[in-house]
């Protein structure tokens, strides 16, 4: 640190600017807080004063039913977590392989490119719940030797198929975002196309697509509830079971709260990663 930096003292004009910026920040904070409180209170009054509020409160906001269903839903939610933890790394690997396959240029790999394109189009177009039902019911019905009939693994497989297609397009977008001069430079250094993809393109592409990948991760965590369509007693199915026997929908909100406990931190992490990415891009 130089002597001039140590002895630097802000001028009166700079102090005035700082004071003005502080006042503006305080003013904006106060306005935002007041507007938020007014809107929240207005919405709360609108809901509470509605004609059917008493029925909705008794059906969805019963503390006794929430307490009684809590343990069963927690046990079911552990299945959601396990499926999510198994499916996510498989989705990333499958998505990366499909994206790389679609970027190949060799004529010998044309069938691979065609297969990767067909897979992406198919599983991005078919609703995920239909894939879950087909895999959960159709595969065991085939009676194939050596193929598991466990709904845990079959529904996990279905989710991997669906989200692998989406993640493949995210990876492919990251690969296509790399400037062609990067590839040209690698070729000038006598790197093969496979080496260029491994050491030059993929590392940069992965860094670029981390935020959108996190969004897919959040979505996958929620869509594990789709496995309830084939009778797996995860959180949503446990809540529906309690609802059917006790004619009360409070367990549905309890199940939603479990998903929010995982989804909200992941969403905030995604926002932070996006801000970091923007700051890095602006700092270049």
């Amino acid at each position: 640190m130089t002597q001039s930096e140590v002895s630097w003292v802000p001028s009166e004009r700079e102090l005035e600017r700082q004071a003005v910026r502080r006042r503006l920040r305080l003013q904006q904070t106060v306005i935002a807080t007041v507007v938020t409180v007014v809107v929240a209170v207005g919405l709360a009054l609108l809901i509470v004063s509605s004609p059917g509020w008493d029925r909705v409160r008794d059906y969805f906001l019963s503390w006794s039913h929430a307490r009684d269903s809590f343990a069963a839903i927690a046990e079911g939610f552990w299945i959601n977590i396990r499926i999510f933890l198994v499916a996510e790394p498989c989705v990333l690997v499958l998505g990366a392989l499909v994206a790389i396959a679609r970027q190949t240029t060799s004529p010998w790999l044309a069938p691979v490119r065609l297969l990767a394109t067909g897979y992406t189009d198919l599983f991005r177009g078919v609703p995920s719940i239909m894939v879950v039902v087909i895999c959960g019911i159709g595969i065991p019905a085939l009676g194939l030797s050596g193929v598991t009939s466990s709904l845990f693994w079959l529904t996990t497989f279905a989710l991997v198929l669906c989200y692998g297609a989406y993640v493949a397009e995210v990876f492919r977008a990251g690969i296509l975002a790399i400037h062609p001069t990067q590839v040209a430079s690698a070729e000038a250094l006598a790197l093969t196309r496979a080496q260029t993809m491994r050491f030059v393109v993929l590392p940069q592409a992965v860094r670029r697509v981390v935020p959108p990948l996190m969004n897919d991760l959040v979505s996958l965590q929620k869509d594990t509830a789709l496995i309830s369509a084939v009778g797996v007693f995860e959180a949503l199915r446990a809540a529906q079971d309690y609802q059917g026997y006790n004619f009360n929908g409070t367990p549905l909100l309890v199940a939603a709260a479990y998903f929010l406990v995982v989804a909200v931190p992941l969403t905030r992490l995604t926002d932070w990663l996006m801000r970091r990415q923007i700051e890095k891009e602006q700092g270049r």
Side-chain angles (χ1 to χ4, degrees), residues 91-115:
V91 166
L92 293 175
V93 172
L94 177 61
L97 292 176
V98 172
I100 293 172
R102 294 194 64 181
Q103 293 306 115
T104 58
T105 58
S106 172
W108 296 98
L109 296 178
V112 176
R113 288 194 297 275
L114 182 61
L115 179 63

Side-chain angles (χ1 to χ4, degrees), residues 52-67:
W53 165 245
D54 292 336
R55 293 192 300 272
V56 172
R57 180 189 59 197
D58 294 338
Y59 191 77
F60 285 107
L61 299 174
S62 171
W63 171 250
S64 61
H65 287 292
R67 183 183 61 247

Side-chain angles (χ1 to χ4, degrees), residues 165-189:
Y166 288 102
V167 169
E169 289 301 284
V170 174
F171 275 122
R172 194 165 75 97
I175 292 172
L176 293 174
I178 303 303
H179 199 276
T181 56
Q182 298 285 323
V183 178
S185 300
E187 292 175 351
L189 295 173

Side-chain angles (χ1 to χ4, degrees), residues 186 191-204 207:
L191 269 66
T192 64
R193 185 164 184 84
Q195 291 173 328
T196 301
M197 180 65 70
R198 178 183 176 185
F199 296 110
V200 178
V201 176
L202 274 182
Q204 298 182 70
R207 286 197 298 270

Side-chain angles (χ1 to χ4, degrees), residues 37 152 212 233 247:
V37 171
F152 177 90
F233 255 75
F247 303 102

